[in-house]
Amino acid sequence: MGTTVSVLGLGQMGATLARTLRTAGHSTTVWNRTPGRADQLVEQGAVAVESAAAAVTASPLVLVCLATYDAVREALGPLTAELSGRTVVNLTSGSPPHARETATWAVQHGAVYLDGVIMTTPDGIGTSHALLLCSGPPTVFEAARTVLATLGDPVYLGTDPALASVYDTALLGLMWGTLTGWLHAVALIGADGPGGRGSATHFTAVADRWLTTVRSFMNTYAAQVDAGQYPAEGFDLRLHQHTMEILAHASELRGISPLLPDLLRELTGRAVAAGHGDDSYARLVEFLRLPKDGGPR
């Protein structure tokens, strides 16, 4: 038997959330500031209401998916009485301070609040690889887990409501870093022109296998970062530095931008110059952290 859920916000993501909930058998009430976006959802069995207040009071569980936290506060701000006693799961992306402020505000007005981010595009909703990162009271997460599992794979991060936002930002940085490294590699491989074994498709098939080794490095280095100890285990920073010089030279020869290899060489060079050449690549985390006074390292 499905749960009664309200969805506030029917942009592409919000509408997909509502549609997925309906497909899974949940009674779904929807609201959007711009009229007309709910028409197709109504055909699929959702109930459209004309005000955010009506949507909030229709269900004990309210999912919010709007463009910004300002839009969330604008929609929910007048509804302090209606929010009391209800569970609000905010799936709007924003900054950690916004998450904490919204959580405090919601609790002050009697709601229980879970902050969350959706780590996929709309076409990934409803699949097992769609991460839904959540932070806030664990009891709230457990109560909402079944509904959230309809939308993807819910992952609980901790009690601080800002954690979902922090992880969101960090994971996007990882994505951009990985994709930029891949694009540099594709440009390097394909510098002689398209086709054959210099193609992006062929390279990516090989790179996909190499990522298994990269994941192994990440798991090894994660324990080192947590411990603050960086044993090289046969692959020290001097060796990395030497190989980076080869990458920079190959990029120059093949007419590829030096921005990425220059960044890698600069960061690694600082660590080696500071006496850490015998350490592992994980040592570089210390050179990405600014001193607490905000000055340069």
Side-chain angles (χ1 to χ4, degrees):
M1 184 175 180
T3 302
T4 301
V5 187
S6 290
V7 178
L8 275 64
L10 297 178
Q12 189 176 8
M13 182 62 79
T16 303
L17 297 178
R19 186 176 303 109
T20 305
L21 290 168
R22 277 299 307 137
T23 300
H26 298 294
S27 300
T28 308
T29 299
V30 297
W31 170 81
N32 192 72
R33 184 177 308 174
T34 303
R37 288 192 176 178
D39 293 350
Q40 187 177 18
L41 293 169
V42 170
E43 293 175 1
Q44 296 169 348
V47 176
V49 294
E50 296 183 356
S51 69
V56 168
T57 55
S59 308
L61 175 60
V62 180
L63 303 186
V64 184
C65 187
L66 297 172
T68 65
Y69 274 77
D70 287 341
V72 173
R73 291 295 294 273
E74 185 177 342
L76 298 182
L79 309 180
T80 54
E82 290 86 349
L83 286 171
S84 181
R86 302 185 190 280
T87 298
V88 176
V89 179
N90 185 13
L91 299 175
T92 302
S93 293
S95 71
H98 285 151
R100 289 196 184 102
E101 291 166 5
T102 305
T104 299
W105 177 86
V107 171
Q108 286 174 343
H109 293 95
V112 289
Y113 180 88
L114 194 68
D115 203 85
V117 294
I118 302 169
M119 302 303 299
T120 187
T121 53
D123 59 359
I125 294 297
T127 64
S128 59
H129 63 262
L131 292 179
L132 274 66
L133 307 181
C134 301
S135 53
T139 53
V140 182
F141 174 75
E142 290 302 328
R145 182 198 287 270
T146 300
V147 171
L148 294 176
T150 300
L151 306 172
D153 180 12
V155 177
Y156 180 67
L157 301 175
T159 58
D160 183 349
L163 279 172
S165 178
V166 173
Y167 269 67
D168 178 31
T169 304
L171 288 170
L172 288 173
L174 175 62
M175 177 188 73
W176 293 321
T178 303
L179 288 177
T180 302
W182 171 77
L183 288 170
H184 184 275
V186 165
L188 190 66
I189 289 292
D192 295 328
R197 295 188 179 274
S199 71
T201 300
H202 187 272
F203 170 77
T204 301
V206 177
D208 189 54
R209 296 172 62 184
W210 167 240
L211 287 175
T212 300
T213 302
V214 176
R215 284 193 294 271
S216 176
F217 282 133
M218 289 171 61
N219 282 285
T220 297
Y221 292 159
Q224 294 185 5
V225 171
D226 287 342
Q229 302 291 328
Y230 308 101
E233 299 177 353
F235 198 5
D236 61 34
L237 275 176
R238 286 191 183 88
L239 182 54
H240 280 285
Q241 187 179 39
H242 172 70
T243 311
M244 289 170 186
E245 293 295 338
I246 297 173
L247 173 65
H249 184 56
S251 298
E252 180 182 358
L253 289 176
R254 294 175 72 79
I256 306 304
S257 169
L259 288 175
L260 182 59
D262 283 352
L263 171 64
L264 299 174
R265 289 192 298 171
E266 190 275 334
L267 187 62
T268 305
R270 284 197 287 127
V272 171
H276 301 296
D278 292 329
D279 289 347
S280 77
Y281 196 81
R283 167 64 75 175
L284 297 184
V285 71
E286 304 291 352
F287 290 81
L288 292 169
R289 293 169 172 156
L290 292 176
K292 293 189 182 298
D293 62 7
R297 183 176 284 278

